[in-house]
Structures are given as structure tokens and as C-alpha cells.
Amino acid sequence: MLFQESTMSVDLSSIRTRWRPDSRFIAILLMIAGVAAFTFVDTISKSLTARYPPVMLMFLQYGLAAAIMLPVAMRLGVSGFRLRAPRLLLMRSILGVLVTFLIVTALSMLPFTVAAALFQLETFFFIPMAMILLKEKADWRRWVAVCFGLAGAFLILRPGTEAFQAAGLVAIGAAIALAAKNVVLKRVAMSEATVPALFWMYTLMTAIAAIPAMLQWTPLTLADFGLFLLSAFLVNASNYCMLKAFAMADAVQLTPAFHTGLPIAVLVGLVVFGEWPQPIVWAGIGLIFLATFMPSGKRA
């Protein structure tokens, strides 16, 4: 009987060891959670763009996000505010303002599903940036994925249409800015603690957007303030998960997880906004989805 109990304990111990997740797997789950939170922020922003100018959305979202992070930073004392690379964080904040402005503008001009699909092109700009600036590796499969992604964007935009000439280009600009922002975010994750990085990033973004927001201020309803507060919590959750993920794995390894927001965005577009994309748009979304989840091969 004792022999059986000891054997069982050994077996259970080996099972626990065998199923222990590695840091890369945890990083992928964190990135998926961050992308999902970011997609829900876009959903709230889409509903608010009909009533408020983009710069006001930025100011309130990031101002409230900084207010949420302040007591967390204060609990940590001096370490909750200490920065190692303030110039890098300033660059990330400037890019964050640009990204938010382009995303909110694109959401106000395009159907939610189309805009969200075009934001997914971030990966195909992110990979070459990560290779050049972060010295990471990407094999030929990643480059084939880039071609599929661009073909998907071509189907969605359809050159010659109004979307291609204006709103679609704004969405592609947002994707490029997103890629640059996440490259810098990876650098921030490698050099800064999470809490001070988030607090100062939101504070700087709020300060950058403050004067333009005051010039375009629109009276705020209590219900909409609740939506802004919810989006601020989601902004914190998204950036926290992404910073942790970037600290645990290479950026190129995490690129497939960037675009798990695509099926979420399609579902949100159908359920919340009642948007059913045209067949050619579905084809473009399918190509982007295929490119996103193509195997990347073994790392060099």
C-alpha cells in the first residue's frame, strides 16, 4: 500500500513537471489577453467617436489610466516612479498619441470590422522593424506571410475606392505607427519596471494631448464618463499584459498573437455594430488571418 502511494506521488509529480508551461507560452497568452483588451478599447472608442473629437478621447482615456496607476505606483514608493530610460519612454508616449489619434480617426471613417482588419497589418511592418532595430530573426515563412497580409489589405481597400483614398490610408498609417510603437514598447519592457513605465507613459500622453483637447472640448455625459473609465481600465490591462509578454519572449515570436484580435473584432462588428462585410472584404480578412497564423519555423 505504501509502495502504491509513493508511486502515485511520483507519477503526479512527473505530470506536474511535464505540464509546467514555459515562459514563451505564458508570454503568448499574455499577448493574446493584451490584444483582446486593446480590441475592446477600440470598440468603446468607435462608439464614442460619434460624440467626441479624437484628441478628447485620447486625453480622457490616458488621463484616467494615469489616475488609476497613481495609487499603485505610490504603494511601491520611490521604485514606483523611478525611470532608467526617460527618453525612450518619451518616444513611446509620442508614438502612443499618434497611434491613438490615427486609430480613433480611422474608426470614425470606416466600418469597425474593416478598420480592425487593416490594423492587423501592424505585424507585417513590425517584423522588418524588429529585425532592424531589435536584431531579431525572421525566416522566409514570415516574409511569405507579409505578402499574404498585403494582398489581404489590397482586397479590403480596393484601389480607386473612397476607402483606399482616405480612410483606408489612415488605417494603414495607424498600423505602421502601431508597429513602431510596439518596437519601442519592447525596448521599454527590456529596460523599465512595469508600473513606473505605465504611469509615466500615460502622464506624458495626457500632457501632450491636453491643450488640443481643451480647444475641442465637448460637454461630457455621466454615461459616457463611465465608458471612458472602462476604456482606461482596459488600456491599463492591455499595456500591462503586453509589457510583461515582451519582457518574457522575443518580439518576432509574439507576432502571431498580435492578430488574435481579428476574430474578436469581426464578432464585435457583427454583434455590436451590425456590420456584415462584403464577400471581397471577407476574402481580405481571410488572407490576413492566414498570414497571421502561418508557421514561423525554428528560430536561428
Side-chain angles (χ1 to χ4, degrees):
M1 184 69 176
L2 290 175
F3 175 75
Q4 289 179 346
E5 290 179 355
S6 63
T7 303
M8 183 178 295
S9 65
V10 170
D11 290 340
L12 291 175
S13 176
S14 64
I15 290 172
R16 283 195 295 268
T17 302
R18 190 181 308 127
W19 285 94
R20 183 178 299 164
D22 60 13
S23 59
R24 179 176 175 273
F25 179 73
I26 295 174
I28 289 173
L29 292 181
L30 283 169
M31 185 57 71
I32 291 172
V35 168
F38 189 79
T39 304
F40 292 131
V41 171
D42 285 349
T43 305
I44 296 172
S45 298
K46 172 68 174 177
S47 66
L48 292 171
T49 53
R51 299 184 292 280
Y52 304 99
V55 71
M56 184 177 168
L57 265 70
M58 284 190 293
F59 176 77
L60 285 172
Q61 280 181 345
Y62 291 104
L64 290 170
I68 291 168
M69 287 303 301
L70 180 59
V72 180
M74 292 177 66
R75 284 190 61 186
L76 297 177
V78 176
S79 63
F81 299 93
R82 184 185 295 119
L83 293 176
R84 300 184 183 92
R87 291 182 181 178
L88 193 63
L89 201 67
L90 177 61
M91 184 187 304
R92 165 61 182 81
S93 301
I94 294 172
L95 283 171
V97 170
L98 176 62
V99 164
T100 305
F101 178 79
L102 291 173
I103 285 177
V104 173
T105 302
L107 287 170
S108 68
M109 299 168 70
L110 286 170
F112 180 82
T113 306
V114 174
L118 292 175
F119 297 156
Q120 308 307 310
L121 291 173
E122 170 200 354
T123 289
F124 313 110
F125 300 108
F126 179 83
I127 290 174
M129 289 183 187
M131 293 176 65
I132 295 170
L133 300 176
L134 301 177
K135 309 301 182 185
E136 295 186 1
K137 303 291 184 181
D139 67 2
W140 63 269
R141 296 174 183 85
R142 289 289 91 195
W143 291 110
V144 172
V146 169
C147 295
F148 279 139
L150 293 176
F154 185 87
L155 289 179
I156 293 172
L157 291 175
R158 300 185 301 284
T161 64
E162 183 179 352
F164 181 82
Q165 295 170 1
L169 296 181
V170 174
I172 289 181
I176 296 172
L178 268 170
K181 181 205 75 171
N182 281 327
V183 168
V184 176
L185 189 65
K186 169 65 175 177
R187 296 285 299 273
V188 170
M190 295 164 62
S191 61
E192 301 286 358
T194 302
V195 171
L198 290 178
F199 172 75
W200 287 114
M201 181 174 67
Y202 299 145
T203 301
L204 288 169
M205 292 176 69
T206 304
I208 293 169
I211 294 177
M214 294 301 106
L215 294 175
Q216 301 183 43
W217 192 263
T218 301
L220 184 67
T221 67
L222 184 60
D224 285 343
F225 179 79
L227 289 177
F228 278 113
L229 189 60
L230 176 58
S231 69
F233 275 105
L234 290 170
V235 163
N236 269 308
S238 176
N239 283 304
Y240 180 86
C241 290
M242 288 184 178
L243 274 172
K244 288 294 186 182
F246 278 133
M248 297 171 68
D250 286 350
V252 170
Q253 287 182 318
L254 295 172
T255 49
F258 283 5
H259 301 304
T260 51
L262 181 57
I264 298 174
V266 172
L267 182 61
V268 168
L270 289 172
V271 175
V272 178
F273 301 108
E275 298 172 357
W276 189 267
Q278 298 176 0
I280 194 168
V281 174
W282 279 112
I285 291 173
L287 276 176
I288 293 176
F289 190 85
L290 174 64
T292 296
F293 292 99
M294 278 187 65
S296 60
K298 295 181 179 180
R299 290 184 61 206

